[in-house]
Amino acid sequence: MNYFQILVTNDITEHKECKGINNKIHNEVMVMIQKVGLAQMDIVFGDPEENKVRVEQWVKKAKEEGCGIVVLPELWTTGYDLTRINEIADEGAEDSSSFLTSLSKKYSIHIIGGSVANKSTDGVRNTLLVADAYGVLVKRYSKLHLFKLMNEHHYLLPGEEDGAFSLDDTMMAGLICYDIRFPEWFRKHVMMGAKIVFVVAEWPAARMDHWETLLRARAIENQCFVIACNRVGSDPDNEFGGSSLIIDPWGEILAKGTKSEQLVAAEIDLQEVEKVRKQIPIFQDRRPNFY
């Protein structure tokens, strides 16, 4: 199905200790079933226009295969063409935002729009964009943690805001690549209520064992869905590993990509978040005063 399906039950309790997580008594639980597709694509180095053509093909494919959400990889407009990033970055991310909202409305699909090179008066940021199925831009998040091993700190500015947003009355969050190595940043978004954390990346093939281990750990310790889209292919300096992942709140892998271009898809049921949190109630057992 293309959109969240809402069913009614009566079994939710108040967790007063956990701000943002089940902090109200409800008479019903939203059971949300959704098919999510990850556009595990190659990116044309430094060519935003060609990459737009490719992105529309992936969005169309996701819609045709019944997805209600499609996720793009990090810096899909330019790749890591950092030496020219000031020339090819999108001023205010306006063109990219307009393109994604137009696509989301055209195909009636939510787009977790990867990230783009977003140019402002003080420099360029790596900014994630989220467009809902009605053609509305609902979130911008600029990468908080810059990755020095790929020289991001020489060409990009860090963000200063969180990645939380809501789609269909469900709290979610979007983070970017290196962010997953900072569990406290990830946990902050879950404490804000996120039941799904999307990760967009250009993760190098040389560290794919870290990729899967970190993502499964983030899902297990936060008892949430982790949905991570990585690119494939290569640029002049790096080879990228694909292996995009859809992971449930128990840490089980629902879908995993190969090292080739493909749409990685799975159906998720957000009722699983509440089931796992009741089974092992870590958010009730936390003692943050000691952390």
Side-chain angles (χ1 to χ4, degrees), residues 112 128 163-165 171-175 189-190 194-199:
I112 311 301
L128 178 146
F165 60 92
M171 283 300 298
M172 307 178 185
L175 301 178
H189 291 84
V190 175
K195 293 185 176 182
I196 305 174
V197 179
F198 295 96
V199 177

Side-chain angles (χ1 to χ4, degrees), residues 3 36 47 56 65 79 87 108 113 119-120 125 153 174-175 200 213 217-218 234 249-250 260 272-273 276 278 280 283:
Y3 295 99
V36 181
D47 192 342
E56 179 161 10
E65 295 195 12
E87 303 168 36
S108 298
K119 185 176 181 179
S120 59
R125 290 174 175 82
H153 60 304
L175 301 178
V200 303
T213 300
R218 298 294 86 85
S234 61
W250 197 250
S260 302
E272 293 301 313
V273 175
V276 170
K278 287 179 180 179
I280 304 180
F283 292 103

Side-chain angles (χ1 to χ4, degrees), residues 31 47 58 83 95 113 130 161 270:
V31 181
D47 192 342
W58 285 106
T83 59
D95 185 63
V130 179
E161 298 181 356
L270 290 189

Side-chain angles (χ1 to χ4, degrees), residues 18 74 83-84 93 137 153 184 202 260 264 267 270:
C18 307
E74 179 184 15
T83 59
R84 294 196 307 133
L137 188 73
H153 60 304
E184 59 273 42
E202 291 206 28
S260 302
V264 180
E267 193 171 80
L270 290 189

Side-chain angles (χ1 to χ4, degrees), residues 177 179-181 186 197-201 203 208-222 224-230 242-248 251 253:
C177 204
D179 283 335
I180 69 172
R181 291 187 182 271
F186 210 102
V197 179
F198 295 96
V199 177
V200 303
W203 197 277
M208 293 313 296
D209 54 340
H210 289 196
W211 167 254
E212 182 170 324
T213 300
L214 288 165
L215 290 169
R216 292 189 72 186
R218 298 294 86 85
I220 293 167
E221 69 197 6
N222 290 292
C224 68
F225 283 94
V226 173
I227 299 177
C229 183
N230 191 29
S243 300
S244 299
L245 290 163
I246 300 175
I247 306 170
D248 76 9
I253 295 174

Side-chain angles (χ1 to χ4, degrees), residues 117-135:
N118 173 20
K119 185 176 181 179
S120 59
T121 54
D122 58 346
V124 179
R125 290 174 175 82
N126 183 349
T127 302
L128 178 146
L129 303 171
V130 179
D132 72 14
Y134 309 101

Side-chain angles (χ1 to χ4, degrees), residues 122-172:
D122 58 346
V124 179
R125 290 174 175 82
N126 183 349
T127 302
L128 178 146
L129 303 171
V130 179
D132 72 14
Y134 309 101
V136 177
L137 188 73
V138 300
K139 185 65 181 182
R140 292 184 179 210
Y141 161 71
S142 294
K143 189 175 186 178
L144 192 77
H145 304 97
L146 299 182
F147 191 48
K148 294 180 180 179
L149 268 66
M150 291 176 70
N151 294 319
E152 290 183 5
H153 60 304
H154 292 313
Y155 300 97
L156 302 173
L157 296 173
E160 296 180 346
E161 298 181 356
D162 66 68
F165 60 92
S166 176
L167 289 174
D168 293 333
D169 298 320
T170 299
M171 283 300 298
M172 307 178 185

Side-chain angles (χ1 to χ4, degrees), residues 4-287:
F4 289 140
Q5 177 181 358
I6 302 178
L7 307 176
V8 177
T9 68
N10 288 304
D11 58 346
I12 192 167
T13 58
E14 182 178 19
H15 294 172
K16 292 182 180 179
E17 301 88 347
C18 307
K19 183 178 181 182
I21 297 179
N22 300 343
N23 60 348
K24 295 180 180 179
I25 299 177
H26 298 285
N27 292 320
E28 63 183 29
V29 172
M30 290 186 294
V31 181
M32 301 174 188
I33 302 171
Q34 178 71 286
K35 187 174 182 182
V36 181
L38 311 182
Q40 183 174 280
M41 58 181 284
D42 196 358
I43 295 169
V44 182
F45 193 67
D47 192 342
E49 294 307 312
E50 176 59 27
N51 287 318
K52 286 182 192 175
V53 173
R54 296 187 177 200
V55 160
E56 179 161 10
Q57 293 171 348
W58 285 106
V59 172
K60 182 180 180 182
K61 180 177 177 62
K63 179 64 176 182
E64 290 172 347
E65 295 195 12
C67 297
I69 299 177
V70 62
V71 188
L72 306 178
E74 179 184 15
L75 289 177
W76 62 265
T77 52
T78 61
Y80 266 83
D81 191 357
L82 295 182
T83 59
R84 294 196 307 133
I85 204 69
N86 198 56
E87 303 168 36
I88 59 178
D90 183 5
E91 191 77 41
E94 293 299 329
D95 185 63
S96 302
S97 298
S98 177
F99 173 71
L100 291 174
T101 53
S102 175
L103 281 186
S104 68
K105 185 175 183 179
K106 178 179 179 179
Y107 293 102
S108 298
I109 189 170
H110 298 312
I111 300 177
I112 311 301
S115 69
V116 302
N118 173 20
K119 185 176 181 179
S120 59
T121 54
D122 58 346
V124 179
R125 290 174 175 82
N126 183 349
T127 302
L128 178 146
L129 303 171
V130 179
D132 72 14
Y134 309 101
V136 177
L137 188 73
V138 300
K139 185 65 181 182
R140 292 184 179 210
Y141 161 71
S142 294
K143 189 175 186 178
L144 192 77
H145 304 97
L146 299 182
F147 191 48
K148 294 180 180 179
L149 268 66
M150 291 176 70
N151 294 319
E152 290 183 5
H153 60 304
H154 292 313
Y155 300 97
L156 302 173
L157 296 173
E160 296 180 346
E161 298 181 356
D162 66 68
F165 60 92
S166 176
L167 289 174
D168 293 333
D169 298 320
T170 299
M171 283 300 298
M172 307 178 185
L175 301 178
I176 302 175
C177 204
Y178 189 42
D179 283 335
I180 69 172
R181 291 187 182 271
F182 299 86
E184 59 273 42
W185 186 230
F186 210 102
R187 171 59 59 86
K188 175 176 179 175
H189 291 84
V190 175
M191 296 306 295
M192 294 173 71
K195 293 185 176 182
I196 305 174
V197 179
F198 295 96
V199 177
V200 303
E202 291 206 28
W203 197 277
R207 291 183 290 279
M208 293 313 296
D209 54 340
H210 289 196
W211 167 254
E212 182 170 324
T213 300
L214 288 165
L215 290 169
R216 292 189 72 186
R218 298 294 86 85
I220 293 167
E221 69 197 6
N222 290 292
Q223 299 176 319
C224 68
F225 283 94
V226 173
I227 299 177
C229 183
N230 191 29
R231 69 163 290 188
V232 295
S234 61
D235 66 21
D237 299 310
N238 304 281
E239 179 183 352
F240 300 96
S243 300
S244 299
L245 290 163
I246 300 175
I247 306 170
D248 76 9
W250 197 250
E252 298 293 329
I253 295 174
L254 303 181
K256 180 178 180 179
T258 64
K259 294 181 180 179
S260 302
E261 287 193 310
Q262 66 184 124
L263 185 74
V264 180
E267 193 171 80
I268 65 171
D269 181 351
L270 290 189
Q271 190 177 26
E272 293 301 313
V273 175
E274 302 303 335
K275 287 181 180 178
V276 170
R277 290 178 181 177
K278 287 179 180 179
Q279 186 172 352
I280 304 180
I282 62 171
F283 292 103
Q284 294 181 61
D285 296 339
R286 293 177 72 248
R287 302 185 69 192

